Amino acid sequence: MYSHNDIKIEVIKNVKRCFLFLLMGLFIACQSDDDGPEPEKSINGFWLAADKGYIIEVNSDKNVLYNINTIGCSITDDNFDPEASFGIMLDQDLTNPNELIAISELSASDIKFTRLVNQNEFCLPDQIANTDDPKINFDHFWNTFNDYYAFFETRNVDWSQYKDLREQVTSDNFYDILEELVLQLEDGHVIIDDEANTIFIDSGLLSLFARLNLGLSGDFIIESGEDYDKLYGQRIETIRSKYLGDAFEIDERQNLAWGLISDDIAYMNVFSMAGYSSEEKNELATLNTLLDRVLNDLKESGVSKLIIDTRFNLGGYDMVSVNIASRFVNQERLVFSKKAKLGDGFTESTSISVTPKGDFQFTGDIVLLTSPITSSAAEIFALCMKDLPYVTIVGENTNGVFSDVLIHALPNGALIGLSNEVYSDAQGVVYEAVGIGPIDENRIPLFSNSDFTEEKDGGIDRAIEVLNK
């Protein structure tokens, strides 16, 4: 079954997948703005997405993508090609093109760019920061988080007290200080990635290992990605041999596996919410073709009960999660809303519903397995499923990182990622930092010593008990 490499590498891939999605998976359409400046027919000029801190400069020679914060501007991409990146031609024969709406079928919300009458003052040629000076880079780092990070209060971090650390920053201790700060957030969507200096810092990794170790002791303790991989491999082998009897199906990209645990209980493991196609434009079409196949197999098998396993799913795209959830509802349901930090407030909220898809929707008894690994878009799937009357959650609370990853570049070229969006369920409850989980009687650790010594899966065992009640 699916080969799960070093968890840290998978986190990197997930973060960069979100970044590439932002830059490469967008469709740009023009909208009217009755309150804006007089329409211009040319697409050339400067366009601002205020809640993301992005400015696109479009001109006939070369296009540039900037990121801005309170104290300055850096270049994210100095040779930004909207036509190639967005996958379409930008038509200059536009009606009232004072707004650009970045839309992707993979995202649960759009990104709005508004035309700037004048070039942003922070992005004038002599104002663009391009330096290795550690103090200047610290200023950009601190201000970017101060401007766009949405969860200081939620994660009990007083960010303001660290502004003066710039005086202590040197070239030698720069990344040590940044690591010390971001580790306090314990946010798996907060990263620092400087490929040139082989630096990668994941704010949530140590706290994730701590959560995974709650059911472990001795030689089973996880201290590295290699330790996790070893236990993961044993667990997958147990599921494959003991619970599925080596009889299962898996898609060609090894993102989704399914089979029968008994004559009346099916098992479906969703390993990822991305990567179903090699091209983003075909992602949902490929996914839905696969889901047709899976649901047809469930229908033909005659099972009335299903275990959906997301315990090893690090996320991907929101709308992959929504499309999978659409196969388990028989009527349209509001499932979540999201908004982004904007200044001292937030953008307007976007609400997302799940609508039934396919010729057959499975609405029998379902157990959803979750764990601290269940992150990001996999948690969006949990948001979609948790309130269905026939769904029971078994396992542990999910990771608690729902926001898309907002990527900015520092003046030295390093990338920083952060959470700037707030997701809430249909009742308005926010699960950031807490995660979505089961009631106490269904709380089963992902890993435990007894699971490995007895070659069993406590989560699946409990799911079977729930379904057989």
Side-chain angles (χ1 to χ4, degrees):
M1 199 181 287
Y2 183 86
S3 174
H4 197 96
N5 296 321
D6 188 301
I7 185 174
K8 183 175 179 180
I9 298 300
E10 288 300 314
V11 171
I12 296 172
K13 288 180 180 178
N14 238 24
V15 169
K16 290 192 173 179
R17 183 179 296 135
C18 293
F19 181 47
L20 291 174
F21 153 69
L22 178 64
L23 294 184
M24 301 177 66
L26 300 176
F27 169 85
I28 289 211
C30 288
Q31 306 290 326
S32 63
D33 184 354
D34 295 337
D35 298 325
E38 282 298 312
E40 300 179 25
K41 286 190 176 182
S42 175
I43 198 78
N44 289 353
F46 291 83
W47 302 87
L48 169 68
D51 59 314
K52 305 302 179 188
Y54 285 136
I55 291 177
I56 301 174
E57 177 186 359
V58 181
N59 60 56
S60 56
D61 297 324
K62 185 174 69 170
N63 306 305
V64 182
L65 179 66
Y66 306 90
N67 53 246
I68 61 170
N69 58 68
T70 297
I71 57 99
C73 173
S74 299
I75 294 176
T76 305
D77 187 344
D78 64 359
N79 191 22
F80 182 59
D81 184 346
E83 294 179 7
S85 297
F86 294 147
I88 66 162
M89 298 293 291
L90 294 179
D91 187 358
Q92 293 189 354
D93 184 18
L94 304 169
T95 303
N96 294 334
N98 295 318
E99 287 186 1
L100 297 178
I101 307 298
I103 304 170
S104 168
E105 67 174 6
L106 296 172
S107 175
S109 61
D110 306 334
I111 301 176
K112 178 189 290 186
F113 290 85
T114 58
R115 185 189 290 276
L116 297 174
V117 177
N118 300 304
Q119 185 171 349
N120 184 278
E121 61 178 322
F122 289 135
C123 287
L124 296 173
D126 60 348
Q127 297 295 319
I128 299 169
N130 180 14
T131 177
D132 289 330
D133 185 304
K135 287 182 169 54
I136 293 176
N137 277 276
F138 181 85
D139 289 341
H140 280 256
F141 164 80
W142 186 91
N143 279 280
T144 298
F145 274 83
N146 194 59
D147 290 347
Y148 302 110
Y149 188 70
F151 298 110
F152 290 125
E153 183 176 351
T154 301
R155 295 184 179 274
N156 298 312
V157 173
D158 178 9
W159 194 246
S160 62
Q161 67 179 311
Y162 301 116
K163 186 175 184 179
D164 293 337
L165 280 177
R166 79 175 312 271
E167 302 307 322
Q168 303 176 29
V169 172
T170 67
S171 296
D172 291 335
N173 68 17
F174 175 69
Y175 283 116
D176 291 333
I177 288 177
L178 264 57
E179 181 175 26
E180 181 180 346
L181 294 187
V182 300
L183 286 180
Q184 295 185 54
L185 297 171
E186 296 186 353
D187 182 338
H189 276 174
V190 170
I191 60 100
I192 302 170
D193 185 6
D194 183 351
E195 291 187 358
N197 292 297
T198 63
I199 298 291
F200 185 85
I201 301 167
D202 175 1
S203 168
L205 195 60
L206 293 180
S207 58
L208 173 59
F209 284 167
R211 290 179 64 183
L212 294 175
N213 283 328
L214 290 175
L216 299 170
S217 62
D219 293 340
F220 294 111
I221 288 290
I222 298 172
E223 296 179 338
S224 67
E226 289 78 10
D227 292 339
Y228 170 83
D229 282 348
K230 181 178 179 181
L231 297 186
Y232 171 85
Q234 293 179 39
R235 172 55 54 82
I236 292 300
E237 172 60 23
T238 297
I239 295 173
R240 182 189 64 79
S241 60
K242 179 174 181 178
Y243 294 93
L244 298 178
D246 290 321
F248 60 89
E249 300 284 340
I250 190 166
D251 72 294
E252 62 180 16
R253 297 178 69 84
Q254 298 188 349
N255 286 321
L256 196 156
W258 67 101
L260 297 180
I261 286 180
S262 68
D263 289 341
D264 200 35
I265 300 177
Y267 173 84
M268 174 179 170
N269 198 318
V270 185
F271 291 103
S272 179
M273 297 303 183
Y276 287 87
S277 171
S278 59
E279 299 180 353
E280 273 104 350
K281 66 181 181 180
N282 296 326
E283 183 82 359
L284 293 188
T286 304
L287 169 68
N288 279 297
T289 297
L290 173 62
L291 292 173
D292 288 341
R293 177 183 167 195
V294 174
L295 270 293
N296 184 65
D297 283 357
L298 291 179
K299 182 179 181 181
E300 290 189 351
S301 70
V303 296
S304 63
K305 303 168 185 177
L306 174 65
I307 298 170
I308 303 177
D309 197 342
T310 62
R311 292 175 297 172
F312 310 104
N313 191 318
L314 286 162
Y317 299 123
D318 285 358
M319 296 311 291
V320 166
S321 297
V322 172
N323 273 260
I324 296 174
S326 72
R327 304 307 181 104
F328 304 103
V329 297
N330 55 12
Q331 62 182 7
E332 183 175 355
R333 300 177 66 98
L334 173 66
V335 287
F336 67 89
S337 299
K338 61 181 291 192
K339 58 186 178 181
K341 184 183 178 187
L342 180 58
D344 294 331
F346 293 90
T347 60
E348 291 184 7
S349 184
T350 299
S351 295
I352 303 298
S353 296
V354 173
T355 304
K357 280 192 175 182
D359 295 332
F360 170 70
Q361 298 87 40
F362 186 94
T363 57
D365 291 338
I366 296 174
V367 166
L368 176 63
L369 293 174
T370 59
S371 82
I373 298 289
T374 310
S375 306
S376 191
E379 298 182 89
I380 304 307
F381 181 71
L383 278 178
C384 294
M385 298 289 289
K386 71 180 184 65
D387 293 329
L388 295 173
Y390 41 87
V391 171
T392 302
I393 297 178
V394 169
E396 298 173 271
N397 281 35
T398 61
N399 194 281
V401 288
F402 293 80
S403 172
D404 292 340
V405 181
L406 176 64
I407 299 291
H408 275 219
L410 296 179
N412 68 357
L415 300 179
I416 57 176
L418 54 92
S419 303
N420 85 314
E421 296 174 323
V422 178
Y423 282 68
S424 56
D425 70 3
Q427 292 76 43
V429 178
V430 175
Y431 292 89
E432 185 75 21
V434 177
I436 297 168
I439 60 176
D440 286 345
E441 66 185 56
N442 291 329
R443 190 167 294 278
I444 307 294
L446 174 63
F447 296 142
S448 67
N449 283 33
S450 60
D451 274 6
F452 294 108
T453 57
E454 300 173 24
E455 296 184 352
K456 64 183 180 66
D457 185 324
I460 292 180
D461 287 344
R462 179 56 184 159
I464 293 171
E465 291 176 9
V466 169
L467 291 172
N468 283 334
K469 282 184 178 179

